[in-house]
Amino acid sequence: MKYMSEYRDPDLARKYLTEIENTVSRPWSIMEVCGGQTHSLVKNGIIEMLPKKITMIHGPGCPVCVTPLHLIDKAIYLATEKKVILCSFGDMLRVPGSKKSLLEAKAEGADIRILYSPLEAVTIAEQHPDKDVVFFAVGFETTAPANALSVLHAHRRGVGNYAILASHVLVPPAIKAVIDDEESQIDGFLAAGHVCTIMGNAAYHPLSSHYKVPIVVTGFEPLDVLQGILMVLRQLEQSTAKVENQYARIVREEGNIEAQKVINEVFEVQDQMWRGIGKIPQSGYAVREKYAAHDAMKKYQVNITEAPENPKCISGQIMKGIKKPFECSQFGKTCKPTNPLGAPMVSSEGACAAYYHFSGMVEA
Amino acid sequence: MCLAIPGKINSITSEYNGMVRMAKVSFGGITKKASLEMLPDADIGDYVLVHVGVAISKVNEEEAQKTFKYLEEIGELGELEDVNEYLPKPD
Ligand code: SF4
């Protein structure tokens, strides 16, 4: 397919690897922030092919993985007790809540639906005027325009029985939190290309200059990731630290202004809990008061006590890049994609699932 | 879930009483609808990146070549390399 398959050319990938080999002179740790890049690195075997001096650290970039436990419990409560039609993306359904997952609630009879787009949920609400429809709106900046649009569509079309349960996380504050964490030692970052498609690169310039770290906005195909690594590496070896854009075929410096307008219309920035990591200041979105009628947080008063995480799951350390999945005592034993203990084992973009599926580290 | 993939706009219609510009976008063999509200100047024939039913960016053809030329540009690839063999093929 145009603009996809060409970026998987093995010959050019080999040339990139050779160039990386020739450039690296000492050990460096590079974090790919986005789970899609983790998936690409592990699936295509790039991790194993990189020179030993380069350690790839997998970042917190999987929105499904960082959605707080109590929000999953809340979504389940809305579906089972409030009898709403609860819709979300497929990945979200398998994430374990404190007692069960949405998928298990669905098997028990709750009306829970997997959708490709939040816009479809507005149509479902129109078709079922006697029911409330809630879209469990998780995501990074990439997904925020679609989730915000669904609210605007409902507002304009007068669909009063539609609301979103928003769990939105923002990448730049998370990068800052990772750099500030004393346990993590990261020399350079591959920033998430699709996030920047929306927000542009503005937030990264102050981060890069303040912390003196190279940040390269990077795509997702194998050649994108390899080129991104080489660009970070060249900066590190030359002791420079700036923002570069590997993914310029998609990402404009200023991002997508129309999308930013829609996001700002519907959402405002707030402090946000990240599952496994904790609260990060100014790192999420809440629905603005103007659209409170479409905000499930306000529409349904649900007081669910915060349940503790499974103590055996070390997903927080995994997402901050302090440990690798195979260092978790549960990995591949009690925790598998069919029976995940923690969220990173659920989504294919979660680091644990990526390692489980592709890296051959699990005995059959 | 952050998957976003490029496809080609085949047709454009206006829906919801003219409120929303929607495109039919083909991804290889599959065709899906996508909102063009974030890309007011996208047109038929353009390649756009689509994420959960919303087109979020137009592919810049010129920039798309650069991944294939980067090694050459930084001067490390032999001069005899024929870059053209790596360039995206027409549809
Ligand atoms: S392998 Fe399972 S238990 Fe261990 S960190 Fe990953 S998700 Fe948690």
Side-chain angles (χ1 to χ4, degrees):
Chain A
M1 236 160 88
K2 203 180 177 195
Y3 298 121
M4 286 180 76
S5 52
E6 319 85 291
Y7 294 89
R8 299 172 188 170
D9 184 306
D11 288 336
L12 196 51
R14 232 168 278 125
K15 293 202 166 76
Y16 265 108
L17 280 162
T18 307
E19 184 52 33
I20 288 170
E21 188 94 48
N22 293 340
T23 307
V24 66
S25 72
R26 55 196 179 100
W28 300 108
S29 293
I30 301 173
M31 173 177 272
E32 85 282 359
V33 173
C34 169
Q37 291 161 341
T38 306
H39 185 83
S40 185
L41 276 168
V42 180
K43 177 181 176 188
N44 296 293
I46 297 172
I47 300 250
E48 282 107 89
M49 289 188 283
L50 284 170
K52 292 278 169 288
K53 290 198 178 91
I54 297 179
T55 307
M56 293 308 294
I57 305 212
H58 315 309
C62 160
V64 171
C65 302
V66 298
T67 297
L69 187 58
H70 75 269
L71 274 184
I72 295 165
D73 287 348
K74 191 163 184 168
I76 292 170
Y77 178 88
L78 292 179
T80 54
E81 304 302 319
K82 299 279 181 186
K83 308 286 181 213
V84 309
I85 301 177
L86 196 286
C87 312
S88 195
F89 301 118
D91 281 354
M92 214 47 230
L93 265 63
R94 290 192 301 122
V95 180
S98 62
K99 295 200 188 66
K100 56 182 131 177
S101 65
L102 282 160
L103 204 59
E104 285 160 322
K106 181 179 166 68
E108 289 164 19
D111 193 346
I112 296 173
R113 305 184 187 186
I114 296 175
L115 300 185
Y116 161 68
S117 166
L119 301 182
E120 296 166 353
V122 184
T123 305
I124 292 176
E126 254 172 348
Q127 291 161 348
H128 298 83
D130 53 323
K131 296 280 272 184
D132 274 4
V133 175
V134 173
F135 189 79
F136 193 5
V138 298
F140 280 125
E141 292 92 326
T142 320
T143 316
N147 289 339
L149 260 189
S150 78
V151 169
L152 288 183
H153 280 205
H155 181 74
R156 291 187 199 136
R157 280 149 59 186
V159 186
N161 58 334
Y162 176 74
I164 62 170
L165 181 63
S167 177
H168 260 288
V169 279
L170 306 176
V171 168
I175 293 189
K176 183 175 180 320
V178 165
I179 303 177
D180 284 338
D181 192 301
E182 280 160 15
E183 277 185 274
S184 62
Q185 298 286 342
I186 293 151
D187 301 304
F189 287 89
L190 305 184
H194 291 158
V195 166
C196 300
T197 303
I198 306 297
M199 303 310 284
N201 303 338
Y204 298 99
H205 294 286
L207 276 178
S208 174
S209 56
H210 179 76
Y211 292 101
K212 308 217 170 2
V213 283
I215 300 179
V216 176
V217 176
T218 304
F220 300 85
E221 295 299 334
L223 287 185
D224 289 323
V225 180
L226 284 166
Q227 188 187 355
I229 292 170
L230 179 57
M231 289 167 87
V232 169
L233 188 60
R234 284 170 60 89
Q235 284 200 46
L236 289 170
E237 293 284 343
Q238 293 163 5
S239 302
T240 49
K242 58 183 178 184
V243 177
E244 291 182 284
N245 186 2
Q246 181 277 330
Y247 203 37
R249 68 181 183 278
I250 298 290
V251 175
R252 323 272 181 271
E253 176 65 26
E254 71 283 7
N256 182 328
I257 306 281
E258 287 301 321
Q260 291 165 22
K261 275 192 223 156
V262 167
I263 293 173
N264 287 334
E265 171 65 23
V266 173
F267 292 126
E268 60 193 348
V269 175
Q270 65 167 5
D271 294 349
Q272 180 80 24
M273 284 297 294
W274 292 56
R275 186 175 192 175
I277 295 178
K279 186 177 270 184
I280 302 180
Q282 302 291 293
S283 71
Y285 285 138
V287 178
R288 284 186 191 276
E289 194 53 41
K290 181 177 174 190
Y291 297 102
H294 300 290
D295 182 358
M297 298 280 187
K298 302 222 172 82
K299 194 167 174 180
Y300 308 97
Q301 289 306 322
V302 186
N303 282 322
I304 293 180
T305 41
E306 303 235 344
E309 290 286 346
N310 187 322
K312 290 181 187 143
C313 175
I314 59 163
S315 67
Q317 284 167 294
I318 305 252
M319 286 186 288
K320 281 189 278 192
I322 297 163
K323 289 220 166 117
K324 292 271 192 242
F326 51 80
E327 292 174 271
C328 170
S329 64
Q330 308 302 308
F331 177 78
K333 300 190 182 91
T334 56
C335 183
K336 297 178 182 185
T338 46
N339 179 35
L341 292 188
M345 191 54 99
V346 174
S347 161
S348 61
E349 288 153 25
C352 299
Y355 271 72
Y356 186 89
H357 283 301
F358 301 116
S359 72
M361 277 160 192
V362 196
E363 304 97 274
Chain B
M1 66 151 286
C2 288
L3 191 69
I5 52 174
K8 189 178 186 176
I9 300 182
N10 280 343
S11 62
I12 297 177
T13 53
S14 121
E15 292 186 14
Y16 308 113
N17 300 320
M19 279 197 290
V20 181
R21 259 174 108 226
M22 296 289 286
K24 278 200 176 136
V25 182
S26 82
F27 306 92
I30 309 157
T31 302
K32 272 187 183 277
K33 275 191 187 176
S35 156
L36 291 181
E37 286 159 280
M38 307 294 154
L39 296 176
D41 55 4
D43 215 338
I44 293 169
D46 285 343
Y47 278 84
V48 290
L49 191 74
V50 176
H51 173 63
V52 299
V54 178
I56 54 174
S57 185
K58 236 158 76 164
V59 180
N60 180 324
E61 310 242 351
E62 202 176 306
E63 291 289 347
Q65 316 289 326
K66 291 200 174 156
T67 300
F68 307 96
K69 293 182 180 160
Y70 180 73
L71 288 173
E72 189 185 44
E73 271 167 18
I74 61 174
E76 311 294 345
L77 207 65
E79 273 166 33
L80 295 174
E81 267 320 319
D82 182 7
V83 178
N84 290 320
E85 68 184 283
Y86 300 117
L87 296 181
K89 318 254 176 316
D91 311 83

